[in-house]
Amino acid sequence: MENKKNVLGKLFFSTLYLSTFTFGGGYVIVTLLKDKFVDKLHWIEEEEMLDLVAIAQSAPGAIAVNGAIVIGYKLAGIPGILVSVLGAILPPMVILSAISFCYEAFSSNAVISAMLYGMRSGVGAVIASVVWDMGSGVFKEKKVLPIIIMFASFIANYWLNVNVVLIIITVAVLGVITTLINQKRGAAS
């Protein structure tokens, strides 16, 4: 990997850019993080990126900030966390501050309302892309248990209205058990 100062600079400006131009919440940024750090910079492998995203999604707080934390730590330790979080939170702070000063004008403006309404479709498409990317990664591994877990989690949440927190805890426990079993099998071989 490149020298640390260069990595920190790229990390800051990458998260700043992604945070500035990402509309629609944290799940939208997942695809953009993958595109930047896996596909373009080649700093993280795709499977590792999925693991980092899973950690970011499981932690409390905004997924964009959590994603910046785990990627920043992976790439540059504590300084990486600081610059990536700063890059991730600056744009929303500036934009929301500006909007709060002009709230009356924004709330009644028909053009702004139409623009925000139109952005919903784009956000839906990006979220569908994230689901496709992450789901296809599970199918590429051709492991039965993760595929069953993926479908069972969807069914439990969508049709059975099981709380997402319970699903996350259950899947985390299954992950720990599976890892321990695989480690014991590996040690026995």
Side-chain angles (χ1 to χ4, degrees), residues 4 6 9 12 47 54 59 81-82 117 123 186:
K4 195 163 187 164
N6 193 19
F12 173 76
E47 187 173 315
I81 291 174
L82 297 175
Y117 184 76
V123 169

Side-chain angles (χ1 to χ4, degrees), residues 7-173:
V7 169
L8 290 173
K10 279 188 179 179
L11 189 57
F12 173 76
F13 286 112
S14 295
T15 54
L16 182 78
Y17 174 81
L18 293 175
S19 184
T20 302
F21 298 106
T22 302
F23 293 93
Y27 293 105
V28 175
I29 204 166
V30 170
T31 298
L32 299 173
L33 289 170
K34 178 194 170 291
D35 181 58
K36 186 67 171 181
F37 296 109
V38 174
D39 300 335
K40 290 184 179 159
L41 294 174
H42 305 289
W43 284 353
I44 302 172
E45 296 296 321
E46 186 168 353
E47 187 173 315
E48 188 174 20
M49 181 68 188
L50 291 175
D51 292 341
L52 294 174
V53 167
I55 292 167
Q57 289 174 327
S58 300
I63 189 169
V65 175
N66 292 344
I69 289 170
V70 294
I71 289 172
Y73 185 76
K74 161 73 175 117
L75 297 174
I78 300 297
I81 291 174
L82 297 175
V83 298
S84 61
V85 168
L86 185 62
I89 65 170
L90 273 178
M93 280 180 30
V94 170
I95 292 168
L96 289 174
S97 296
I99 289 173
S100 69
F101 287 121
C102 307
Y103 179 73
E104 284 299 318
F106 281 126
S107 65
S108 60
N109 188 313
V111 174
I112 301 273
S113 295
M115 182 179 73
L116 292 173
Y117 184 76
M119 288 170 66
R120 290 182 196 169
S121 300
V123 169
V126 172
I127 291 173
S129 173
V130 169
V131 170
W132 180 263
D133 287 347
M134 293 179 77
S136 64
V138 171
F139 281 102
K140 284 179 187 174
E141 291 180 9
K142 297 181 181 177
K143 293 181 181 174
V144 177
L145 184 61
I147 293 170
I148 291 171
I149 289 172
M150 183 174 65
F151 282 113
S153 298
F154 176 76
I155 291 168
N157 181 258
Y158 190 76
W159 278 302
L160 303 176
N161 294 320
V162 176
N163 190 317
V164 176
V165 174
L166 293 174
I167 294 170
I168 291 171
I169 291 170
T170 303
V171 171
V173 169

